[in-house]
Amino acid sequence: MNSASPIEIRRSACPHDCPSTCALEIEKLGDGKIGRVRGAGENTYTSGVICAKVARYAERTHHPDRLTHPLRRVGKKGSGEWEQISWDEALDIVAEELLSREAKYGAETVWPYYYAGTMGLLQRDNINCLRHVKKYSRQKETICTTLARTGWMVGAGALHGSDPREMAKSDLVVIWGTNAVHTQVNVMTHATKARKDRGAKIVVIDPYRNPTAAAADIHLMVNPGTDGALACAVMHILFKEEMVDRPYMAKYTKDADRLEAHLTSRTPEWASEITGLTVEEIYEFARLFGKTKKSFLRLGYGFARGRNGSVNMHAASCLAAVTGSWQYEGGGAFHTNGGIYHWNKTLIEGLDVEDKSVRILDMSRIGPVLTNDPKDIGDGPPVTALFIQNTNPVEVAPDSGKVRDGFAREDLFVCVHEQFMTATAKMADIVLPATTFVEHDDFYQGGGQNHIQVGRQIIDPIGECRSNHDVLVELAKRLGADHPGLKLPAMELIDESLKASGWPGAEELEKMKWHDCQIPFEKAHFLDKFGHSDGKFHFAPNWQKAGSDFKDVPPLPDHWDIIDIATEEHPFRLVTAPARNFLNTSFTATPTSVKQESRPTVMIREDDARSLGTADGETVRIGNKQGSVLIHVQIFDGLQPGTVIVEGIWPNKFFIEKMGINVLISAEAGKPAGGAIFHDTAVWIKPESTSD
């Protein structure tokens, strides 16, 4: 008889671009494969719950389309014609190309480009060590969090908040700027526990009736980019009906009197015209919030997707300071815990050799950078070499038509280190096969929670795949880049970085499973002081300190009308929201995820579709001055009139004309500190028949 191979349960953490950073239990099978992936029940944030896309991670890890060997392009750029080569040959070519361009143009002509395909602190960030040692162009990381983080920081002054597990102890959970069911399911775990155990209400503020909104007790369906108007009208009512905590504001906030005077004209009627909500809806929410001491604001990254996102985030965060809900367990606000970890990443990122005089390029403007826009490249040389890890800019970055044009330059050398043949990899000269998180060592922090964890390699790398760190070590040898962060083995770097940051070492942390870094209640709730030097929450932020593009930013919470408004020429507002089964393009190679999502569609209200002369399942062309895409219609009435939704960053190949939705998204930087504006686009829509 054949005996079944033993199954070993190994611990790790989800590495993907999600604030949950779930603690995982992964089956290691006897044949060198992984099996089921489950959430760790003992972890007090994960609580045994993970998203479906990670639960089926074996399907991604062992996918037959994984890149498994180094490849060299032999046809025209983008032709998909390759020959397999050895690792030594591939790395020699990459080093030779980088060195030759550096000799001709200077080091700034090389741009190491990366982001969050893994959130592991070594495998993601080690590329910066090579950058800093070689003085290659630096990278301004704006594509995801900047606008939201800036708006939070100008008010609170520190990047932390109430323990996110306190949602379960709240009497009112307000989920604002995040579709948690799609993007961070654990928020729903703790919010629904509060509803079950305490009778708490859940309010969701979002431009469409997504699954999070459908699960709420109240859904406030605001027009895109109008959150600041709602926040101001709510505060107007709170002041008018004396539902504010004046002693709290006197002790903990600055400019409360200015705020109250400013809000007298920000009436519910004013906000109704802007947001699309009824006056009654605004009053209902304001009174519920004002009368519930344990009100918890869970503020997400949706604020980081619009031109006025920083102003909207600040306005929303003001609500907790006006009512003083910070004083109560289960109250206050939370955006991210990024500030609690006090990392020392000098070794990993080579911060001891960083030269701040080296130019910095905005990653969200990679299209203008690669097409040599003088506003972006300044007095420096053109970018003639890209080394890319952990991201797929040809499909993910804004203004993807211009990004594609930049990658098509014959003088541009591109090396992509990837797990699948993405659209970016297809435009490369050299493609290197990369490991997934179960095939290498790393360590992780929870942005949306409070734990750190080591994730050890579970299985041998598939084929000839190598980790990001291993590739950087080998490349550094060829480039003459001398730094301990580019020499030491992964676990030594992890161990030394943990200890240098004041945390348990790698071996101890492994034995602990994870470490809870949550700061004390008084500090988390800012009851000792807020993060500014005066210890106050700032109702009137210093926007000039927040970013260089601060001109005309409203001095107090407001609706800042700089969004791409609907016009006669572009009568619809487009939001490119996250899909449930995708995460950027990370899971678009997983067959089950693709099957679940079906195909790219644009959600349109039935009355809007009727006025356009189209119907469910038919095709329309969506466009603006940047370009257009052909896409199928999905009739969906969970929208405000004039708002349309396209969920997920579908790879270009799934679109009828092989060009994805980001061709419509401007690369304009949000204010005051930059940031991509994926949810802030006005478009026209026209019916167009196809043979599809």
Side-chain angles (χ1 to χ4, degrees):
M1 293 196 317
N2 293 325
S3 59
S5 298
I7 297 176
E8 181 184 354
I9 304 299
R10 298 285 296 273
R11 292 189 299 272
S12 192
C14 178
H16 285 282
D17 189 9
C18 164
S20 289
T21 321
C22 292
L24 304 177
E25 295 174 352
I26 301 174
E27 293 180 347
K28 180 182 179 182
L29 308 182
D31 57 358
K33 296 183 177 181
I34 64 166
R36 296 187 216 177
V37 180
R38 294 181 287 266
E42 298 173 74
N43 184 279
T44 53
Y45 186 76
T46 302
S47 296
V49 178
I50 61 171
C51 66
K53 50 188 173 282
V54 173
R56 52 178 177 258
Y57 209 84
E59 187 179 351
R60 188 174 190 277
T61 299
H62 304 294
H63 194 292
D65 291 343
R66 279 281 302 276
L67 293 169
T68 55
H69 305 284
L71 301 171
R72 173 168 55 191
R73 176 173 64 87
V74 294
K76 292 182 178 180
K77 281 201 172 189
S79 66
E81 297 176 42
W82 309 95
E83 67 173 357
Q84 182 179 324
I85 58 176
S86 70
W87 266 103
D88 281 340
E89 187 177 3
L91 291 169
D92 287 346
I93 292 170
V94 175
E96 181 182 343
E97 292 287 352
L98 300 190
L99 289 169
S100 66
R101 283 161 168 74
E102 179 183 353
K104 183 175 181 179
Y105 296 103
E108 289 182 342
T109 196
V110 180
W111 192 16
Y113 189 94
Y114 79 109
Y115 203 55
T118 177
M119 294 290 279
L121 301 180
L122 172 62
Q123 305 294 350
R124 181 191 65 190
D125 298 336
N126 194 216
I127 192 174
N128 287 322
C129 192
L130 180 67
R131 180 197 314 278
H132 296 146
V133 172
K134 291 291 295 178
K135 300 189 186 304
Y136 293 151
S137 284
R138 295 184 296 148
Q139 177 172 291
K140 186 177 183 182
E141 297 172 18
T142 57
I143 205 163
C144 183
T145 65
T146 304
L147 283 154
R149 182 179 64 239
T150 301
W152 174 274
M153 287 293 290
V154 296
L159 206 57
H160 62 74
S162 304
D163 187 333
R165 295 168 293 194
E166 288 183 36
M167 281 183 284
K169 301 177 181 180
S170 178
D171 295 323
L172 172 63
V173 180
V174 181
I175 301 173
W176 199 341
T178 179
N179 180 1
V181 170
H182 282 195
T183 62
Q184 42 184 322
V185 67
N186 307 93
V187 169
M188 300 306 294
T189 299
H190 297 284
T192 53
K193 187 176 190 302
R195 179 159 60 188
K196 180 180 178 181
D197 294 349
R198 305 176 57 83
K201 298 292 185 184
I202 299 175
V203 175
V204 169
I205 302 171
D206 200 280
Y208 75 118
R209 193 178 64 244
N210 53 46
T212 308
D217 299 289
I218 298 172
H219 174 207
L220 298 175
M221 192 189 299
V222 293
N223 287 323
T226 64
D227 310 78
L230 172 61
C232 287
V234 168
M235 289 188 285
H236 170 97
I237 296 167
L238 295 175
F239 276 107
K240 183 179 179 181
E241 299 189 359
E242 284 298 331
M243 291 184 286
V244 298
D245 190 328
R246 295 187 183 277
Y248 175 88
M249 285 191 289
K251 182 177 181 181
Y252 289 104
T253 72
K254 183 180 180 182
D255 292 312
D257 291 342
R258 284 182 62 194
L259 176 68
E260 184 174 10
H262 164 72
L263 292 171
T264 55
S265 62
R266 288 353 185 224
T267 65
E269 291 77 13
W270 166 83
S272 177
E273 290 292 319
I274 297 168
T275 63
L277 300 173
T278 66
V279 171
E280 291 72 23
E281 286 177 302
I282 297 171
Y283 267 107
E284 179 187 15
F285 172 54
R287 288 166 176 163
L288 177 63
F289 190 86
K291 292 175 182 178
T292 308
K293 292 185 182 297
K294 293 187 174 185
S295 296
F296 193 107
L297 293 169
R298 182 58 177 87
L299 304 173
Y301 288 112
F303 289 100
R305 306 291 184 260
R307 288 169 175 81
N308 60 359
S310 292
V311 170
N312 288 343
M313 167 62 93
H314 172 253
S317 70
C318 288
L319 269 64
V322 166
T323 64
S325 62
W326 283 110
Q327 299 166 93
Y328 311 106
E329 186 179 30
F334 180 79
H335 173 52
T336 176
N337 256 338
I340 72 172
Y341 296 107
H342 46 77
W343 290 117
N344 182 338
K345 292 198 286 184
T346 300
L347 192 57
I348 287 174
E349 295 197 51
L351 299 178
D352 53 334
V353 294
E354 182 182 9
D355 184 347
K356 296 293 180 67
S357 71
V358 173
R359 73 172 175 190
I360 187 165
L361 302 175
D362 187 337
M363 68 177 304
S364 298
R365 290 184 56 79
I366 185 172
V369 168
L370 294 184
T371 52
N372 298 324
D373 190 323
K375 184 169 62 176
D376 294 278
I377 65 173
D379 296 329
V383 171
T384 63
L386 286 169
F387 178 72
I388 299 175
Q389 291 183 325
N390 305 327
T391 189
N392 178 19
V394 168
E395 291 174 325
V396 170
D399 198 357
S400 56
K402 190 169 287 185
V403 176
R404 180 191 56 190
D405 292 344
F407 271 83
R409 280 172 38 206
E410 288 298 330
D411 68 322
L412 178 69
F413 174 78
V414 179
C415 175
V416 174
H417 187 201
E418 252 294 358
Q419 297 162 354
F420 291 90
M421 185 59 74
T422 63
T424 303
K426 193 174 180 180
M427 295 297 291
D429 299 283
I430 296 290
V431 175
L432 306 175
T435 49
T436 65
F437 80 105
V438 295
E439 300 161 63
H440 59 233
D441 298 321
D442 213 338
F443 67 128
Y444 306 90
Q445 72 172 51
Q449 46 136 321
N450 37 272
H451 292 95
I452 59 173
Q453 185 175 349
V454 169
R456 293 300 303 268
Q457 178 180 329
I458 296 173
I459 61 172
D460 291 335
I462 304 296
E464 295 185 65
C465 291
R466 294 187 185 181
S467 74
N468 291 351
H469 173 63
D470 288 344
V471 170
L472 290 163
V473 167
E474 289 300 316
L475 194 55
K477 293 176 184 177
R478 291 163 168 83
L479 294 170
D482 186 18
H483 192 278
L486 298 170
K487 291 181 178 179
L488 293 174
M491 286 308 299
E492 286 189 39
L493 281 170
I494 292 168
D495 183 61
E496 291 197 27
S497 297
L498 283 164
K499 291 174 180 175
S501 304
W503 300 120
E507 186 177 348
E508 183 182 356
L509 185 54
E510 273 194 272
K511 290 177 181 177
M512 297 167 66
K513 299 183 181 179
W514 45 74
H515 180 66
D516 188 342
C517 303
Q518 182 60 40
I519 55 180
F521 178 88
E522 293 279 321
K523 185 174 178 63
H525 285 249
F526 298 106
L527 297 180
D528 51 356
K529 62 178 181 177
F530 282 91
H532 298 292
S533 58
D534 60 8
K536 307 286 188 180
F537 182 92
H538 288 187
F539 290 126
N542 184 346
W543 289 109
Q544 183 173 354
K545 187 178 179 181
S548 60
D549 196 5
F550 59 89
K551 185 180 179 182
D552 300 326
V553 181
L556 287 157
D558 215 335
H559 170 62
W560 192 18
D561 195 11
I562 61 165
I563 57 178
D564 195 9
I565 61 171
T567 63
E568 185 176 350
E569 183 181 3
H570 299 101
F572 293 92
R573 294 264 291 146
L574 167 68
V575 173
T576 55
R580 186 167 192 164
N581 292 281
F582 296 157
L583 184 54
N584 298 319
T585 58
S586 290
F587 289 88
T588 55
T590 306
T592 302
S593 289
V594 174
K595 182 179 179 181
Q596 294 284 350
E597 295 296 331
S598 183
R599 64 184 179 185
T601 62
V602 56
M603 298 180 181
I604 305 177
R605 281 170 59 104
E606 186 171 14
D607 52 358
D608 282 338
R610 193 181 308 117
S611 68
L612 288 167
T614 190
D616 194 70
E618 295 185 357
T619 54
V620 292
R621 186 171 294 279
I622 311 177
N624 56 18
K625 293 176 181 178
Q626 294 199 175
S628 68
V629 297
L630 203 56
I631 193 169
H632 289 89
V633 171
Q634 178 184 348
I635 298 300
F636 181 73
D637 281 334
L639 298 162
Q640 290 279 15
T643 297
V644 296
I645 307 288
V646 175
E647 286 189 337
I649 304 178
W650 282 88
N652 295 344
K653 65 183 181 181
F654 288 101
F655 282 81
I656 298 167
E657 296 177 321
K658 312 307 179 190
M659 197 64 196
I661 198 65
N662 280 336
V663 73
L664 306 178
I665 308 302
S666 170
E668 180 183 341
K671 299 182 180 185
I677 52 174
F678 292 107
H679 298 178
D680 191 355
T681 305
V683 295
W684 49 256
I685 302 177
K686 300 174 183 177
E688 185 166 331
S689 60
T690 70
S691 57
D692 181 59

